[in-house]
Amino acid sequence: MTLRFVEACKLPNRFGVFTLHGFEDTDTGIEHLAITHGDIADGTPVLARIHSECLTGDSLFSERCDCGYQLEAAMRQIVAEGRGLILYLRQEGRGIGLLNKIRAYKLQDEGADTVEANEQLGFPADMRDFGICQPMLAHLGVKSLRLMTNNPRKLESMRQHGLMVVERVPLQVGRNPHNTDYLDTKANKLGHLMKPAVAYRAPHRKADGGASAPERETA
Ligand SMILES: Nc1nc2c(ncn2[C@@H]2O[C@H](COP(=O)(O)OP(=O)(O)OP(=O)(O)O)[C@@H](O)[C@H]2O)c(=O)[nH]1
Ligand SMILES: [Zn+2]
């Protein structure tokens, strides 16, 4: 896996002013992004989100999942802390791609859960590869993370790729009537760490994304 840094620019958005770094995985041609805020290269652990692309949730406001809410909450928390980063990885649909995700959603419309739908299409439940994170973080000068995630497999994958995660910061936002079954399946079949007590709050993404300060856990 070879990483090429292409360029960085300012990215002001509703939450603050970030820097957008563009990379290419030269083995696959896939373009990945890092979105950073503040001084992240001072050697201390950095609040971080490793976010897998979800066009429907991140850009089309879909309530079938929690991705858009998590992205927004991560940006808000990073700005509130004054520093942090998001690696935005282009592995749509847990790696099966956008069109296959639409196929999987159709199967879910007909009763399959998110894992069964992938399997019916001939894919594993999760095809993602987080190997690109290591060279991206090395380029950014980041040595250790406080990772915003509910996914213990993501934590394990980070460790397998030699990344130091000193803390898991839960990121449980966005439960709504359209994604209740989906989130429950993630907890029950994929092992996501969801606390029932936090389930659920406001329907509006803005209010929700700005929800309370993150809980902290030692990873
Ligand atoms: N194949 C498939 N992919 C989905 C579905 N819903 C969301 N996704 C994708 O799942 C990815 C996000 O993974 P999740 O399992 O929701 O969460 P995670 O990133 O592993 O864990 P967190 O860090 O806690 O968010 C994105 O790439 C989404 O496009 C679905 O029903 N089927
Ligand atoms: Zn999503």
Side-chain angles (χ1 to χ4, degrees), residues 181-194:
D181 290 346
Y182 167 77
L183 294 180
D184 290 345
T185 301
K186 286 212 295 187
N188 297 331
K189 285 195 170 178
L190 298 174
H192 285 235
L193 305 164
M194 306 280 195

Side-chain angles (χ1 to χ4, degrees), residues 27 31 116 174 202:
D27 293 344
E31 298 165 336
E116 292 164 349

